[in-house]
Amino acid sequence: MKRMLVPLFILLFTLSLSAQENDSILLEEVKSLKKELGLQKKKTKSLQSKIYKLQKTLEEAIKEAEQAFTETDEAMEKNSARSSELEQVLKASEEKALESRTTMADWTKKMMMILALVSLLFFIVLLVLVITNRKRIDRDYQKLEVKVDNTKEALGLEIRSAMNKHEEDHKALKAEIEKGKK
């Protein structure tokens, strides 16, 4: 048994050394895990503070957005009210324009009727003047024809008397020429 004891001691010694080595490795791993845990806690705290800051920023942004929405809603209500006022003014203006257009159309019709009547009156006056002027021209033409006829007759009488006078001279001249030829 003595023989067994020594190997048993050696075995126990090696086992204890190996266990001690394993314990030291485990202790080192535990220390490194503690360090990592500490780093992770720090990172977690840092992330939590960032999350807190982001939550505050988000809350502020939400408040600002809500305020902006409220202001926009108020502005839209004002614009809507102004738009409805402008639509009413536009409708009133369109009605006035329609009334003035109908008034202008009536006035234009009346003026066209007056213009047509005045034009017809001027045409009638011009027609009367043309007819009276034509009658006067016809009378003057007839007087002129009578004068021309009288002048023709007077010229015809003068030409006949001149021809008769010259005819006698012509006959006397012929007679003398025949006497001179014989």
Side-chain angles (χ1 to χ4, degrees), residues 14-28:
T14 40
L15 280 176
S16 69
L17 276 179
S18 106
Q20 196 177 21
E21 192 176 308
N22 284 336
D23 284 345
S24 64
I25 291 173
L26 281 175
L27 283 175
E28 284 180 23

Side-chain angles (χ1 to χ4, degrees), residues 49-124:
S49 68
K50 285 182 181 179
I51 289 172
Y52 180 73
K53 287 179 184 177
L54 287 174
Q55 284 176 343
K56 279 195 170 184
T57 307
L58 180 63
E59 288 175 4
E60 290 174 3
I62 289 172
K63 285 180 183 177
E64 289 175 4
E66 286 176 353
Q67 187 177 8
F69 280 134
T70 315
E71 291 173 359
T72 306
D73 286 342
E74 290 173 0
M76 285 178 62
E77 288 176 5
K78 288 178 183 177
N79 286 339
S80 175
R82 180 70 177 147
S83 155
S84 62
E85 288 175 12
L86 289 175
E87 285 177 2
Q88 289 174 354
V89 168
L90 180 65
K91 284 180 183 177
S93 176
E94 286 176 350
E95 289 173 1
K96 286 181 182 177
L98 184 62
E99 288 176 9
S100 65
R101 197 178 317 149
T102 55
T103 304
M104 189 66 150
D106 292 342
W107 182 82
T108 304
K109 285 179 185 176
K110 288 177 184 175
M111 291 308 289
M112 290 300 286
M113 290 296 291
I114 291 171
L115 185 63
L117 288 175
V118 167
S119 298
L120 183 65
L121 182 65
F122 279 142
F123 179 74
I124 290 172

